[in-house]
């Protein structure tokens, strides 16, 4: 990097790093919310292992899209040994929680932390999913956030350079 633009370049890199870390922290907050919702849902249906299964859900939902399915495996395995009717209730709880989190919690938490409108997040995920499938969904929000940060910094640096001359 040329020495005359090194401070601006470092500022862009620091802002990009801050944006990515904000996204990761947001994902962990969403994971915590999912765990709490699952715990309440399991308590409502009267599951004996509500806390353990909610912890599984909290841990595995950090993994986008596959996490809920991975957390469902131990929940169904344990529940099917108790009662088949309870297993259906577990599926209903998972569906309700995932819909609530996917449509309300995630866009608001991630969007608020990254200063992105929730509708923008939903549209990004839809577009990225149709263009690049699963990989596109995984990288859509962090990539958009970093590009938004870089573009915002370039405009700022351009104005500063113009003012110097």
């Amino acid at each position: 990097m040329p020495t005359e633009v090194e401070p601006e370049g470092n500022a862009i890199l620091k802002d990009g790093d801050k944006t990515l870390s904000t996204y990761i922290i947001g994902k962990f907050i969403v994971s915590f919310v999912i765990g709490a919702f699952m715990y309440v849902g399991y308590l409502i249906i009267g599951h004996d292992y509500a806390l353990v299964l909610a912890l599984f859900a909290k841990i595995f939902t950090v993994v986008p899209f596959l996490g809920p399915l991975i957390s469902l495996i131990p929940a169904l395995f344990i529940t099917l040994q108790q009662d088949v009717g309870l297993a259906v209730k577990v599926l209903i709880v998972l569906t309700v929680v995932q819909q609530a989190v996917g449509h309300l919690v995630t866009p608001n938490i991630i969007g608020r932390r990254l200063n992105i409108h929730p509708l923008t997040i939903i549209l990004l995920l839809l577009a990225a999913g149709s263009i690049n499938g699963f990989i596109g969904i995984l990288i859509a929000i962090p990539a958009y956030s970093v590009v938004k940060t870089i573009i915002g910094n370039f405009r700022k640096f351009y104005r500063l350079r113009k003012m110097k001359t």
Side-chain angles (χ1 to χ4, degrees):
M1 189 178 311
T3 55
E4 69 255 7
V5 294
E6 189 172 339
E8 290 92 350
N10 286 336
I12 289 174
L13 292 175
K14 284 180 184 177
D15 282 348
D17 183 50
K18 182 181 174 192
T19 300
L20 288 176
S21 66
T22 301
Y23 173 75
I24 291 169
I25 291 169
K27 288 297 285 182
F28 278 105
I29 291 171
V30 169
S31 175
F32 180 78
V33 169
I34 288 173
F37 283 3
M38 293 297 285
Y39 179 66
V40 170
Y42 288 148
L43 286 178
I44 290 172
I45 64 172
H47 204 293
D48 293 337
Y49 301 103
L51 182 60
V52 173
L53 295 177
L55 287 175
F56 270 115
K58 180 188 176 299
I59 292 168
F60 287 118
T61 54
V62 173
V63 178
F65 303 102
L66 294 179
L69 294 175
I70 295 170
S71 69
L72 182 64
I73 293 169
L76 284 179
F77 181 74
I78 291 170
T79 307
L80 284 172
Q81 292 179 356
Q82 294 176 350
D83 182 17
V84 175
L86 191 60
V88 172
K89 292 178 184 177
V90 165
L91 288 173
I92 292 171
V93 167
L94 178 74
T95 303
V96 168
V97 168
Q98 288 302 315
Q99 290 298 315
V101 168
H103 292 292
L104 300 173
V105 177
T106 301
N108 283 314
I109 289 177
I110 300 291
R112 199 171 285 149
R113 291 187 67 80
L114 293 174
N115 196 21
I116 302 172
H117 194 277
L119 183 60
T120 304
I121 290 176
I122 293 170
L123 292 174
L124 276 172
L125 292 175
L126 288 173
S130 66
I131 294 170
N132 289 330
F134 180 70
I135 300 297
I137 291 172
L138 285 178
I139 64 171
I141 296 171
Y144 174 80
S145 301
V146 170
V147 168
K148 180 181 169 191
T149 302
I150 290 171
I151 289 172
N153 282 332
F154 276 139
R155 283 191 328 198
K156 187 184 333 176
F157 296 139
Y158 178 74
R159 279 190 250 136
L160 285 175
R161 291 274 182 210
K162 201 169 190 174
M163 292 168 84
K164 285 182 182 179
T165 59

